[in-house]
Amino acid sequence: MNIDLLRALCETPGAPGREHKVRALIEKEIEGLFDEVTTDAMGSLLCKRNGKGENPEKVMLLCHMDEIAFLVTHVSEKGYIHVDPVGGFDARNLFSRRVLVVTRDGEYKGVMNPGGRPIHISGPDERKKIPEPKDFFVDIGLGKETRNKIKVGDFIVMDEPLIEMGDKIVSKALDNRIACWLGIEVIRKLVENGGNHDCEIHVAFTAQEEVGLRGARTAAYAIKPDIGFGIDTSLACDTPGVPENEAVNTQGKGFGLHIKDSSFIADIALVEEIEDLAIEKKIPYQRTILARGGQDGAAAQQAAAGAKAVGIVVGTRYIHTVTEMIDKTDLQAALDILVAYLEKH
């Protein structure tokens, strides 16, 4: 398993609408794997492998590049950076975080904290209050000089390295750099196996998923796929404090065959085909339904005249934090089922 690639993907900063560094990394990694590679107006990277015959079936894999992040809204006279979230943050996970501020000219390490008194001088009622994400600020340690370095619209991401813990991988931005990893490694494996597929394969590394599937909508409309795979993380709430019936995914039981969330309902014939293929190939899987949330498979399903769509997901604990955790065996199962499906079509 190419952990070095996953580490590079996760540790490269890429906010919604600011995916250029991730895109550049992917462009370098996919050299020679596709017949056509273009970047669309939204910033999505569209990669195509030709199919066979005059009118091959179009299969699209949608893998979003962006991570939840912040944009700078103001820099105070004293150098404190105020922010606006782009993506779904739970403020309980933002206290005392190390962050990276990314500008046109460079990157700056910083720390994030909420405004207000610290524990030694605050009262009991103050300590019970949970601030909103907009109440947090960033300090890069440069004081008044900060105003000469940081501009409104620069972006900020969490700053934590990827680590391995037994069969687990922990990192910020596994949502959704594991999909970017899969989009690359699936095609690499196809090529290693001889490149046998009849379908026309489109791997779209999409922009701005975390703020409404925006890049996926434009990419899917341009490609007009017959089959769409939303490749993403999903919740693995197999942890203390969550009822078993709300776990969504259980780590170590295989890839998630994603049937429904707030954005789409998967094509049942496609669900059953993938399920049969997983059983045939002895690839571990689990059916999953997410009560809320959405993913890029919905954009493929609803583009132009529509497409059959399904999600292939990897159950992730502690989602939208710097401690996102996946199981390597689940990631391998997602890779195996995608390769098996494409080689069959």
Side-chain angles (χ1 to χ4, degrees):
M1 183 171 284
N2 191 349
I3 301 298
D4 287 340
L5 173 59
L6 184 58
R7 178 177 289 106
L9 287 165
C10 288
E11 294 179 4
T12 299
R18 307 286 191 273
E19 298 92 352
H20 51 283
K21 290 178 180 288
V22 180
R23 186 173 64 243
L25 172 59
I26 294 171
E27 284 179 309
K28 183 177 180 181
E29 195 67 30
I30 63 173
E31 288 182 5
L33 296 181
F34 292 94
D35 297 302
E36 296 179 25
V37 176
T38 59
T39 300
D40 71 9
M42 285 286 291
S44 298
L45 187 65
L46 309 182
C47 309
K48 174 186 173 184
R49 280 184 63 87
N50 295 331
K52 298 178 181 177
E54 293 184 4
N55 189 29
E57 183 179 53
K58 293 182 181 180
V59 178
M60 185 178 185
L61 277 59
L62 297 102
C63 315
H64 76 83
M65 296 184 287
D66 56 317
E67 63 188 286
I68 57 172
F70 295 89
L71 297 185
V72 175
T73 60
H74 175 72
V75 183
S76 75
E77 290 284 351
K78 293 183 178 180
Y80 297 113
I81 300 167
H82 297 264
V83 299
D84 182 51
V86 276
F89 283 98
D90 183 340
R92 294 174 298 179
N93 299 316
L94 293 177
F95 288 84
S96 304
R97 291 297 178 195
R98 296 187 181 190
V99 298
L100 188 69
V101 184
V102 184
T103 75
R104 181 178 181 178
D105 300 321
E107 299 176 353
Y108 299 88
K109 300 280 187 178
V111 294
M112 173 174 280
N113 282 289
R117 298 180 180 89
I119 187 170
H120 295 85
I121 59 173
S122 61
D125 291 340
E126 287 178 287
R127 291 197 291 272
K128 292 177 183 178
K129 180 184 176 183
I130 298 176
E132 296 294 323
K134 64 181 177 59
D135 297 327
F136 286 76
F137 65 89
V138 171
D139 185 348
I140 63 171
L142 296 181
K144 293 181 179 180
E145 182 64 18
T146 302
R147 300 194 76 176
N148 298 323
K149 306 290 187 182
I150 310 301
K151 297 178 181 179
V152 171
D154 289 338
F155 75 92
I156 300 169
V157 298
M158 297 295 114
D159 189 25
E160 294 284 348
L162 181 147
I163 61 173
E164 295 179 70
M165 298 170 19
D167 287 334
K168 309 295 185 185
I169 296 170
V170 174
S171 180
K172 64 95 174 173
L174 285 171
D175 177 16
N176 195 23
R177 305 292 160 68
I178 62 166
C180 297
W181 185 91
L182 285 166
I184 298 167
E185 292 299 292
V186 163
I187 302 303
R188 201 191 315 272
K189 187 65 174 178
L190 275 179
V191 172
E192 290 175 357
N193 291 350
N196 296 318
H197 58 87
D198 294 333
C199 63
E200 182 178 292
I201 302 173
H202 294 265
V203 181
F205 299 95
T206 63
Q208 298 192 42
E209 188 271 354
E210 293 290 356
V211 288
L213 320 184
R214 296 174 186 176
R217 295 188 192 283
T218 55
Y221 191 88
I223 292 166
K224 298 180 176 64
D226 300 298
I227 303 291
F229 284 88
I231 315 299
D232 212 326
T233 58
S234 186
L235 300 185
C237 300
D238 54 346
T239 52
V242 182
E244 184 179 343
N245 65 302
E246 295 180 15
V248 186
N249 288 262
T250 300
Q251 290 201 338
K253 291 192 174 181
F255 73 89
L257 182 50
H258 194 55
I259 294 171
K260 175 190 176 293
D261 58 34
S262 296
S263 64
F264 87 127
I265 299 172
D267 179 83
I268 190 59
L270 188 53
V271 169
E272 291 172 349
E273 179 186 359
I274 294 168
E275 185 171 53
D276 290 344
L277 184 60
I279 293 170
E280 175 192 340
K281 299 290 186 179
K282 295 182 172 57
I283 301 170
Y285 75 98
Q286 51 196 302
R287 287 189 172 205
T288 72
I289 289 178
L290 184 61
R292 288 181 296 279
Q295 55 116 281
D296 278 350
Q301 186 184 58
Q302 299 166 33
K308 294 181 179 180
V310 70
I312 300 296
V313 299
V314 178
T316 305
R317 293 176 184 162
Y318 325 120
I319 201 93
H320 282 199
T321 75
V322 296
T323 60
E324 291 180 341
M325 176 186 289
I326 62 170
D327 191 291
K328 293 177 186 177
T329 62
D330 297 337
L331 183 59
Q332 184 65 50
L335 175 63
D336 292 344
I337 195 62
L338 288 167
V339 171
Y341 181 90
L342 292 172
E343 287 183 335
K344 185 180 177 182
H345 282 261

